[in-house]
Amino acid sequence: MIDYTKILLLGIDLERLYNLPQLEFKTEVSEKTGVLSTKHTAYYHFCKVVIYDSGLILFSGSIHKFYNSLKNRKAPNYNEKQKETYKGYNGNQFTINQIFEVRKHLQILFNCQPHQMQFQNIEFGVNTQPNFEPKLFLKGLLYHNGKPFEYRFKNNFAQVAHQQYYLKIYNKSYQYDIATHTLRVELKVTKAEYLKQLSIKTFENINENTLNKAKELLLSRFDEVVYYDYTINKNSLSKSQKKILQKYSNPRYWLVELRPNHRYRHKEKLKEFIYKYSKNLHQQIRQETIQKCVTINRLYSDQKCVIINHSSIGLISTQNTSKKQVRICPITGVNISAQKKNSFLLSNTGFKKLEKENPTHYNFLLNKLLTGKTNRY
């Protein structure tokens, strides 16, 4: 689940570090000025160790790529002729056990304990395998918490930057030529202060509980995404509904034409369109993320793996339901507010009702979630 990190190393023996045979420290020279840098850098399994003149030591890079490099696992599109420009691979799953392996390797490399490895930046992400082309979801992204998405790499990568974090959503199958559709949802925390809500300060704090908190936070940020679902079936819609949807598909309408205090009502309308007439791509990705919890966090029980977030964007209908009354089935993600108060899961009656109201999502649940079928990793 963890990818890129920047770690401040405390109390490290500098002389020992400089003399390690596996680390070759070099002093970089500015190509523009020819001035020698005041820092010394060593590259190691697609990560780097930097020692500053002040004695400050930083380790940075993707520990997911680090692990794959240690195990000699390469990307599907790896080309031996281009190995000099190869940047590593993080398109597969990265489990808690593998994270612990990396932590142990770093302990031995730096001759330190986990509490001496203090996080400055950290990324939490999950590679999902949806049954649709990832770009279909990416092109529908409208905005997140008032900010538009920035696109790169032929619109296969989208991110939105906030003060303390970045939210990234991108097409991993495009990046590495992975045969299975692979879409990654990722939260990059850029301020150590933001990590306090996860009880994470050093590598010592990485465990089942804190990774579960990180996953909940990732899903919470993902649920805040406002998006247009291009699988909406317009055949049964009126001309006025089609006209409204045309506006809703345009990010400019939301961020320029609509005032912030007028967006909520329209967001609820868009959610209703998505719930009733689409395949609900957001919900499919969400369910895939929850399913991957079993793989990524192997030590979790099934109950701990279930993540309930009542801000789920796709399946909450606002008709006759207040915010406080909304209840979501943790397995299917379906709104079960109309069921008995003691209901926890989607009932047979609710499932039959879903078949009438949203046959597309009904078939998705029937074929994917209720038959024991899973995607390949």
Side-chain angles (χ1 to χ4, degrees):
M1 185 178 180
I2 298 176
D3 192 24
Y4 178 85
T5 60
K6 183 182 285 185
I7 300 173
L8 176 63
L9 297 167
L10 305 172
I12 305 301
D13 185 337
L14 271 177
E15 185 177 352
R16 174 187 172 277
L17 195 59
Y18 274 122
N19 291 323
L20 284 177
Q22 57 267 57
L23 296 180
E24 184 181 356
F25 286 95
K26 295 181 180 180
T27 304
E28 298 177 353
V29 181
S30 171
E31 293 182 2
K32 290 185 178 180
T33 64
V35 177
L36 284 173
S37 172
T38 58
K39 61 187 180 184
H40 309 281
T41 305
Y43 293 89
Y44 186 63
H45 292 286
F46 302 106
C47 294
K48 65 180 180 179
V49 183
V50 180
I51 302 176
Y52 294 85
D53 279 359
S54 62
L56 189 76
I57 306 170
L58 284 176
F59 170 88
S60 63
S62 165
I63 63 170
H64 190 166
K65 291 181 178 180
F66 185 97
Y67 179 82
N68 280 334
S69 179
L70 287 174
K71 302 297 182 180
N72 199 30
R73 293 174 184 167
K74 295 181 171 60
N77 60 354
Y78 174 76
N79 188 332
E80 189 67 28
K81 294 179 181 178
Q82 298 174 333
K83 65 179 180 179
E84 295 301 321
T85 58
Y86 180 62
K87 296 181 180 180
Y89 178 55
N90 62 351
N92 55 351
Q93 298 303 333
F94 190 39
T95 70
I96 186 172
N97 294 334
Q98 293 165 347
I99 292 171
F100 288 166
E101 280 190 59
V102 169
R103 183 171 68 183
K104 187 63 179 178
H105 187 100
L106 294 179
Q107 283 180 245
I108 295 170
L109 180 69
F110 297 118
N111 191 28
C112 69
Q113 295 302 314
H115 70 268
Q116 293 173 255
M117 295 183 269
Q118 188 176 98
F119 289 111
Q120 307 299 297
N121 288 357
I122 188 168
E123 287 180 349
F124 302 103
V126 178
N127 293 327
T128 67
Q129 280 79 38
N131 60 2
F132 56 85
E133 168 58 52
K135 214 168 180 181
L136 184 63
F137 179 73
L138 285 166
K139 74 175 183 176
L141 297 175
L142 296 170
Y143 68 96
H144 179 264
N145 285 343
K147 288 194 173 186
F149 281 87
E150 307 166 31
Y151 285 88
R152 300 178 193 169
F153 309 114
K154 298 180 180 179
N155 295 326
N156 284 285
F157 175 95
Q159 73 170 19
V160 59
H162 295 285
Q163 268 195 334
Q164 295 187 320
Y165 67 90
Y166 287 66
L167 179 65
K168 303 179 183 181
I169 305 173
Y170 52 106
N171 186 357
K172 277 287 179 185
S173 41
Y174 169 83
Q175 182 182 4
Y176 292 123
D177 286 342
I178 302 172
T180 305
H181 292 321
T182 305
L183 181 143
R184 183 172 180 83
V185 181
E186 187 172 84
L187 188 68
K188 178 180 180 179
V189 178
T190 55
K191 300 290 183 182
E193 187 73 18
Y194 196 73
L195 288 174
K196 286 186 177 180
Q197 61 186 299
L198 303 177
S199 305
I200 294 176
K201 184 176 181 181
T202 72
F203 224 142
E204 184 179 40
N205 305 132
I206 299 299
N207 53 48
E208 298 171 53
N209 182 50
T210 54
L211 287 184
N212 187 44
K213 286 182 180 180
K215 183 174 290 296
E216 290 182 21
L217 182 62
L218 176 67
L219 284 172
S220 178
R221 297 289 82 86
F222 183 58
D223 286 341
E224 293 165 349
V225 171
V226 178
Y227 82 107
Y228 178 83
D229 197 315
Y230 279 93
T231 67
I232 291 175
N233 187 344
K234 299 178 183 178
N235 292 335
S236 57
L237 301 181
S238 67
K239 286 185 179 180
S240 61
Q241 287 176 317
K242 292 176 182 178
K243 191 174 180 180
I244 291 172
L245 281 175
Q246 185 64 33
K247 287 183 178 180
Y248 285 175
S249 67
N250 186 353
R252 180 180 173 81
Y253 171 76
W254 294 92
L255 297 172
V256 179
E257 297 179 27
L258 270 182
R259 293 179 182 179
N261 59 333
H262 291 166
R263 290 174 189 161
Y264 177 79
R265 180 169 60 88
H266 292 282
K267 282 195 295 184
E268 295 304 305
K269 279 188 178 181
L270 178 56
K271 289 178 187 179
E272 190 174 344
F273 275 118
I274 291 171
Y275 173 66
K276 287 184 176 180
Y277 303 110
S278 82
K279 295 180 181 178
N280 206 327
L281 303 185
H282 175 278
Q283 192 63 26
Q284 291 189 45
I285 295 167
R286 198 178 199 282
Q287 292 299 332
E288 277 287 316
T289 302
I290 293 173
Q291 287 183 23
K292 291 299 177 292
C293 180
V294 176
T295 301
I296 295 171
N297 302 311
R298 294 173 189 269
L299 303 179
Y300 283 6
S301 70
D302 289 342
Q303 287 186 335
K304 284 185 178 180
C305 188
V306 173
I307 298 162
I308 305 172
N309 191 304
H310 295 288
S311 62
S312 180
I313 188 171
L315 297 178
I316 299 178
S317 172
T318 56
Q319 293 183 344
N320 302 320
T321 307
S322 69
K323 269 189 172 182
K324 292 182 180 179
Q325 293 174 321
V326 169
R327 289 180 293 124
I328 302 296
C329 169
I331 304 301
T332 64
V334 172
N335 186 347
I336 57 171
S337 302
Q339 293 181 190
K340 293 180 181 179
K341 289 184 179 181
N342 60 350
S343 293
F344 176 64
L345 300 174
L346 179 66
S347 67
N348 289 333
T349 303
F351 194 57
K352 289 177 182 178
K353 184 180 178 184
L354 181 69
E355 182 180 14
K356 294 178 181 179
E357 293 183 353
N358 191 345
T360 301
H361 192 62
Y362 168 83
N363 288 326
F364 166 71
L365 294 177
L366 185 68
N367 296 326
K368 189 174 180 62
L369 300 179
L370 303 182
T371 60
K373 293 181 181 178
T374 55
N375 286 324
R376 292 185 293 113
Y377 295 120

